[in-house]
Amino acid sequence: MRIRTLFVKEIIRKMARKKLASCCFKLLLVTSLITWSTVLSLDSSPGKQSEELSIGGIVDLTTHIGKEERAAMQVAIEDLFSGVDLNSPTLLVKDSRGEPTRAVFSAKNLIKKNHVAAIVGLRTWPETFFVAEVGNKSKVPIISLSNEVPSWRDSNRPFLVNAARGQFAQMKAVADIISSWKWRKVNVIYEDINPAVSGIIPYLISALQDAGSEISELLPLTPTLSDHSLSKSLRNLKNGQCRVQIVHASAPLAAKIFRNAKRIGMMEKEFVWITTVDTMNLIDTFDTSIISSMQGVLGVKSYYSRSTKQFKNFRFRFNSKFRELYRQEPFHEPCVYSLQAYDAMRAVSLALTDGVPTSKSFQNSTNNSLMLSISGEKIVSRISESNFEGLAGAFNFQKGILSPESLFRIINVVGRSYREIGYWTENLGFSESTGAGSKYTKSMRLLGQVFWPGGPWSAPRGWALPTSAEPLKIGVPVSNAHKEFVEVVYDQLGRGIVVKGFSINVFDATLKFLPYYLPHIFVPFNGTYDSLVEQVKLQNFDAVVADTAIVAERFQSGEFSQPYADPGLQMLIIVRTKNINRAWLLTKPFSTSMWITIGIINIYNGFVVWLIERNDERNRDAEIRRGSLLKQIGYMLYSAFKTLFSLNVDNLSSNLSRIVMVVWLFLALVLTQSFTACLSAIFSYQGNDPATVDVETLRNTGAKIGCDGGSFVVAYLRDVLNIHPDNIVRIYSGDDYAQALINEEIAAAYLEVPYLKVFLAKYCKGFTTSGPIYKVGGFGFFFQRSSPYLPDISEAIVKVVESGTLKDLENSLTSSYKCLASDSSDDHHRLQVSSFLGLFGISVGISTFALLLFYIFYRREQIARDPEEAAGPGPGPPAHEPPARGSEPPARGPEPAAHEQPARGPEPPAQGPAADDNIHWNRKRSSSRSTRTSSISHRKSSHSY
């Protein structure tokens, strides 16, 4: 409807531009008519009227159609009156040369001088328009063969009968051809004969709209247009992106169009040309030069049966009459226009004879008085009541209009002629044949191969990169709350922007399924989504690609594509666990990583203290140095964990271990107090578990509800869910929802389902959805109203879904986030490693520093000790040689008594190697002990650790 209105406005503008010329033309015509009327009135004598019955014909004998029409009319009269004892009417034909003034002059002459009963012919509407005025005044029926007669002619011109079939259905055939290859934009080139007559173009516009296509350019041409001007107009079309051209023009103008189109390179690959019956009905009259410039052209041609006996008889007589009249052979078989002239003349003849030319009343009559006595009104009435099978089809009228054509041939120009691809029938579609057993389809693709301009057998895309047109301007939002879907990143080098996100990825995948290349650029826009889609209505943007919600209000600015994200709006709340595991409740204050970190640091500090204390000489007889390795490790772990519950600093010998233990005890104190406080909070939290959250509870309690600040959700909460505006909290970042729920700034949040999926992928613990899903929203791409790209984009989105590409993109969107354990529910009170990272670092640092100092001092002692042990006791007697067994002091008393036992006798002095080894070991032990004691005393005097 919108395009039709635009077309009518264009017609009005054109009428305004041509108003002056039209007025001058009408003035000249009226002047000429007055002059001719005066001449005719002077020439006509008041003598008696001729009793000879005559029928007038006005045709353009300068054209091949006019010549065929004259021959067909003559054959029709002869066929009807042959073999009848009755004088047949005389056919008086005048040549109008296609000029309305000559047609009017001829009509007056036929009526005034020849007293014709009716006038047949008048192929064009301008001729018909003025001659009908003459016939109306003279009450002589005018039977027009013009296809351009408007429907409003009956009320003002009762003596005008249109005997040409309406060809409006052919525009549906053209639209179905366009739809078969899904071409969304076409250019229309049409012959602009009279600006006052809209013609058939509105029907083409309506048919294209029904097929989902749109007219890109309308190019009106006049028959007198020069080749230079025509080529210039065609070049403007060539520089555009649309490559599908529809030609609705007369045969002479169409021939001129194709000659110039071939010369400027518009009959090459990727171009599509489709013509209507005005051209294709006369393609048999074109010479080889015109046919060569039309290679690959598709066309719609009127259908008539060429296999009937009636047609074969007519063709024979028509060829004979044509040779008789013009002394030449016809170029081809009779065209449809000659058949229409034959049927029209037959209807007039039947009306004159009352449909029964062989009746006895006529046979017995010696003159044509009965036929001459029939009035013009009676002739018109009888013609309107005609019902017979003519050569061009059934000849009958419905509400004063001849039954229109509903069956057409689809032809393709190839080589020196053309070939018939199939047929198109209104309300049925395409078929390979006609008749009862025909199979019909809505797509022309099934009819077979088409030869396209430029030689390719593959169907053209109908689009090409324009040589002058700009790429599609696509608006993208800058202030987007959910950067995962659309994010605009400005290049630091100042070379432009980078647009990324899930919505952009879906759009790129959609473009890959389009049958043509779609050039585009992304233009950032800083504003709300409503103002962004408004820019499309203002034609600042051709489309919007973003996470744009599909809501009814936005359809006022344009149209949405097929949704690529699920619609839905749902509540997001923090998790409230009702059933808890009391057996492991004591582990809840610390997170798992916290428990592991405490154990590792505890063992590490215990190891440091154990290592330092074990190598302290003051602990040489302590338990820490006795036993096996496994026993010492157990003692180390025991001491380490014992530190958490008791103070052991006074039992340590080394100052380094005391420093480590003091820091560790401080950390243990902080952890113990934190554990107690957190455990109390968990008990309190679990005891106050609320009921399930719903919108009624939130509304009645006046709870705060969060939502996207620039989204339609604000209005939905206010107007549909009846949430008080003061209780609606606008949030402008997707990451702020988690903290707002944890900190109890809001009791719940309403998010669209795609956002919820991403949020729950990031925060897999602690949050959940609640309540029903409201089926609103859903994401789609936004285009201008009636955009030719929109149907293709929607179809491509469906292919993205069916191919699994969309599922892969969704998985990549959610899997890219590592699940962050939120602080909701029990985790809200859990202590993480990050809370004590500073204290842990200090404790580990002090322990490591003490361990390094110990290692340095220990190495120094070891280096100082090794030379002394290597030197040995020296050549002299040992300084502390133990006394021999026989010279021990008497104080040791009982030992000599033991040696004096009678049974054993006196013990002899020790001899042999064993005795020597024993004496040597005792001496060495005494020497080593004295040396070590001296060295330790020396070190203690120097420093202590």
Side-chain angles (χ1 to χ4, degrees), residues 243 264 279 287 340 356 441 479 565 731 792 831 867 873 903:
R243 291 292 182 264
I264 65 175
T279 301
D287 57 28
Q340 291 177 356
V356 188
T441 176
S479 55
I731 298 177
D792 292 340
L831 297 175

Side-chain angles (χ1 to χ4, degrees), residues 184-482:
R184 299 306 180 190
K185 274 195 172 184
V186 298
N187 297 326
V188 177
I189 306 172
Y190 68 99
E191 185 170 356
D192 187 18
I193 300 176
N194 192 332
V197 181
S198 59
I200 204 171
I201 299 300
Y203 294 90
L204 174 60
I205 295 174
S206 177
L208 289 174
Q209 282 184 331
D210 294 339
S213 300
E214 185 183 40
I215 294 179
S216 177
E217 296 288 342
L218 274 172
L219 180 59
L221 300 176
T222 59
T224 59
L225 190 67
S226 64
D227 287 341
H228 175 75
S229 300
L230 178 58
S231 298
K232 183 179 180 181
S233 299
L234 293 176
R235 282 193 179 94
N236 292 334
L237 298 181
K238 182 181 179 181
N239 292 334
Q241 190 175 14
C242 180
R243 291 292 182 264
V244 182
Q245 326 293 331
I246 298 176
V247 178
H248 178 64
S250 62
L253 180 58
K256 184 187 294 186
I257 291 173
F258 287 115
R259 281 198 303 265
N260 285 274
K262 183 178 181 180
R263 183 170 55 83
I264 65 175
M266 291 185 69
M267 299 302 297
E268 303 298 329
K269 186 178 179 181
E270 294 299 331
F271 281 92
V272 178
W273 292 84
I274 302 173
T275 62
T276 60
V277 296
D278 291 55
T279 301
M280 286 306 184
N281 281 348
L282 295 176
I283 191 172
D284 297 307
T285 65
F286 291 170
D287 57 28
T288 56
S289 63
I290 300 176
I291 293 296
S292 65
S293 65
M294 295 178 61
Q295 295 297 301
V297 174
L298 272 176
V300 180
K301 188 178 181 181
S302 296
Y303 173 83
Y304 52 89
S305 178
R306 292 169 292 183
S307 60
T308 63
K309 182 179 180 180
Q310 182 184 9
F311 175 80
K312 293 178 180 178
N313 292 335
F314 165 76
R315 181 172 54 187
F316 175 78
R317 292 190 299 274
F318 170 82
N319 292 337
S320 300
K321 182 60 66 176
F322 195 89
R323 288 191 292 268
E324 176 186 339
L325 293 173
Y326 307 109
R327 300 288 189 262
Q328 64 181 28
E329 292 290 335
F331 296 142
H332 52 82
E333 68 177 18
C335 70
V336 67
Y337 300 122
S338 61
L339 304 184
Q340 291 177 356
Y342 178 92
D343 292 341
M345 185 57 71
R346 181 182 180 188
V348 172
S349 299
L350 290 174
L352 290 174
T353 62
D354 197 19
V356 188
T358 60
S359 62
K360 294 182 179 180
S361 60
F362 280 101
Q363 291 177 352
N364 298 328
S365 175
T366 57
N367 54 48
N368 295 329
S369 59
L370 290 178
M371 289 189 290
L372 290 172
S373 63
I374 300 176
S375 64
E377 292 89 345
K378 191 65 174 178
I379 295 175
V380 172
S381 176
R382 288 178 177 178
I383 292 176
S384 300
E385 295 173 357
S386 299
N387 186 8
F388 61 88
E389 188 65 28
L391 292 176
F395 194 93
N396 55 72
F397 290 82
Q398 298 175 358
K399 297 181 180 180
I401 300 176
L402 187 63
S403 56
E405 289 187 72
S406 60
L407 178 60
F408 298 91
R409 288 186 173 91
I410 307 299
I411 65 175
N412 184 204
V413 180
V414 181
R416 297 181 179 181
S417 183
Y418 61 88
R419 64 189 183 97
E420 292 186 356
I421 299 177
Y423 304 89
W424 181 90
T425 306
E426 188 175 11
N427 299 326
L428 294 177
F430 297 96
S431 62
E432 295 181 350
S433 61
T434 61
S438 302
K439 296 181 179 180
Y440 296 92
T441 176
K442 293 297 181 181
S443 176
M444 182 184 161
R445 289 174 178 263
L446 302 180
L447 296 184
Q449 186 64 57
V450 177
F451 182 84
W452 302 100
W457 292 102
S458 59
R461 298 178 301 176
W463 300 85
L465 290 175
T467 57
S468 61
E470 296 181 356
L472 211 65
K473 292 178 62 177
I474 299 177
V476 291
V478 175
S479 55
N480 182 23
H482 303 274

Side-chain angles (χ1 to χ4, degrees), residues 544-794:
V544 171
V545 172
D547 47 342
T548 311
I550 302 175
V551 292
E553 184 179 357
R554 291 173 179 169
F555 278 93
Q556 299 177 3
S557 301
E559 297 183 38
F560 280 97
S561 68
Q562 174 80 12
Y564 66 87
D566 297 332
L569 184 67
Q570 195 172 18
M571 183 190 303
L572 174 69
I573 60 172
I574 200 167
V575 172
R576 309 297 187 186
T577 306
K578 290 185 176 181
N579 299 321
I580 59 174
N581 189 352
R582 298 278 180 178
W584 296 100
L585 188 60
L586 291 176
T587 62
K588 296 296 183 181
F590 291 157
S591 64
T592 304
S593 59
M594 184 71 174
W595 284 114
I596 295 175
T597 304
I598 291 174
I600 293 174
I601 293 179
N602 196 31
I603 294 174
Y604 178 70
N605 289 340
F607 170 75
V608 173
V609 173
W610 172 79
L611 186 62
I612 295 175
E613 290 296 314
R614 184 180 184 281
N615 290 277
D616 195 309
E617 287 295 335
R618 285 168 290 188
N619 296 324
R620 62 182 179 273
D621 295 326
E623 186 180 359
I624 195 174
R625 302 186 62 173
R626 295 198 299 268
S628 63
L629 178 62
L630 183 61
K631 182 178 180 181
Q632 293 186 41
I633 292 175
Y635 181 81
M636 177 197 70
L637 295 176
Y638 163 74
S639 301
F641 287 97
K642 181 182 177 183
T643 306
L644 293 173
F645 311 102
S646 63
L647 188 61
N648 298 323
V649 179
D650 295 337
N651 297 331
L652 302 177
S653 301
S654 173
N655 290 335
L656 292 177
S657 58
R658 290 190 184 104
I659 294 173
V660 173
M661 188 59 66
V662 167
V663 177
W664 174 233
L665 286 175
F666 175 74
L667 177 58
L669 179 63
V670 174
L671 292 176
T672 303
Q673 297 298 323
S674 301
F675 179 87
T676 303
C678 186
L679 186 61
S680 300
I682 291 177
F683 276 115
S684 176
Y685 178 80
Q686 298 291 352
N688 296 326
D689 183 28
T692 304
V693 180
D694 56 27
V695 67
E696 291 291 338
T697 303
L698 296 174
R699 183 168 53 239
N700 296 335
T701 58
K704 300 292 184 180
I705 301 177
C707 66
D708 289 342
S711 171
F712 75 98
V713 182
V714 177
Y716 190 85
L717 294 178
R718 182 187 65 243
D719 301 334
V720 180
L721 300 184
N722 298 322
I723 304 299
H724 196 277
D726 295 339
N727 295 330
I728 299 176
V729 179
R730 290 171 170 82
I731 298 177
Y732 294 93
S733 176
D735 296 330
D736 293 342
Y737 283 96
Q739 290 301 320
L741 288 168
I742 293 171
N743 299 334
E744 299 183 355
E745 297 175 7
I746 57 176
Y750 272 93
L751 287 174
E752 294 171 74
V753 170
Y755 299 148
L756 277 176
K757 291 181 180 180
V758 176
F759 183 90
L760 295 177
K762 294 175 64 176
Y763 303 94
C764 61
K765 297 180 181 179
F767 298 96
T768 187
T769 57
S770 178
I773 298 178
Y774 301 98
K775 291 296 183 179
V776 293
F779 298 157
F781 303 131
F782 193 76
F783 283 80
Q784 293 181 359
R785 191 174 303 279
S786 300
S787 172
Y789 308 101
L790 189 57
D792 292 340
I793 291 292
S794 295

